[in-house]
Amino acid sequence: VDLMVVKLPKREVSAGSKERKTWEANAHPVIFNHRPGVPTGGDYDHTSQHYWPNHSGGGTYIRLELPETRIKILEVKARVKALDQGWGGEGNAGVAVVLLDGGGNTLAYSVQSLKDHGEKTLEWVMTPEDSGASFPNQEGSKECDSVCAEGEGLVLEIRPFTPNWGGWSVSALEGELKATILG
């Protein structure tokens, strides 16, 4: 029996932005479209209006395209300075780190909410065992699967979001997205 050992390189890839960008309520599409059967936790149905992505708009702030070849994401780190405009202390606006396949379909996400007004720095360390999510108002739907996955042509994005309620908005001021990958 001939054995061959192949050592795959471990490396870090990153993307960032220092551009201020704002998403106004009702001016942007829903944060993402879910694949059928996405688990939402609790008794929520993913088509329910009470499930936060169904009533929140936003968009891509940082996009990190990973290699086209098959890779394994070992860890994802995200940092975003953001702020919301809405009713104080609600915690319904926030930022999602989203994993997409090559076709743009959502595979996984991890959310952190903005709990108060003013500039807040949100930070995540995501591993296969820990999503790093924090969304007290939507505890059962703060995450879906793991952004640390395997595949080809994967993409990670940072997406700020705001509920589509009159007068609300969310702004990203700066941020960085890093992935440690194998392959």
Side-chain angles (χ1 to χ4, degrees):
V1 175
D2 291 333
L3 296 176
M4 180 170 56
V5 176
V6 177
K7 185 172 181 167
L8 297 174
K10 181 172 141 179
R11 55 196 159 133
E12 188 174 275
V13 291
S14 64
S17 177
K18 290 190 181 219
E19 173 188 1
R20 181 187 178 113
K21 190 167 181 183
T22 299
W23 292 265
E24 303 284 341
N26 295 307
H28 302 278
V30 292
I31 187 75
F32 43 68
N33 296 315
H34 302 287
R35 64 185 193 276
V38 63
T40 60
D43 293 327
Y44 289 108
D45 171 3
H46 75 284
T47 61
S48 166
Q49 287 301 314
H50 298 288
Y51 180 46
W52 68 270
N54 293 347
H55 64 76
S56 296
T60 300
Y61 181 59
I62 297 173
R63 181 176 173 91
L64 177 58
E65 295 185 12
L66 300 171
E68 289 291 322
T69 58
R70 185 161 190 85
I71 58 136
K72 180 176 184 177
I73 303 171
L74 303 174
E75 181 181 79
V76 176
K77 292 181 179 179
R79 181 190 51 75
V80 182
K81 187 184 288 185
L83 62 97
D84 75 333
Q85 171 60 48
W87 305 311
E90 289 293 310
N92 289 305
V95 179
V97 175
V98 182
L99 176 67
L100 307 164
D101 67 15
N105 300 303
T106 300
L107 299 175
Y109 67 79
S110 174
V111 173
Q112 288 202 13
S113 63
L114 291 162
K115 296 175 190 77
D116 298 307
H117 289 313
E119 293 180 11
K120 303 293 178 200
T121 299
L122 304 175
E123 296 184 89
W124 293 251
V125 176
M126 294 155 275
T127 66
E129 298 80 27
D130 185 1
S131 71
S134 175
F135 198 177
N137 285 2
Q138 297 273 331
E139 191 63 34
S141 58
K142 66 182 180 182
E143 62 200 9
C144 173
D145 294 334
S146 175
V147 298
C148 295
E150 289 186 55
E152 297 175 3
L154 299 174
V155 176
L156 287 162
E157 291 186 349
I158 288 180
R159 294 183 182 178
F161 65 89
T162 183
N164 283 322
W165 302 329
W168 280 62
S169 67
V170 65
S171 297
L173 308 174
E174 64 179 68
E176 187 172 30
L177 186 57
K178 294 180 185 179
T180 303
I181 61 173
L182 192 61

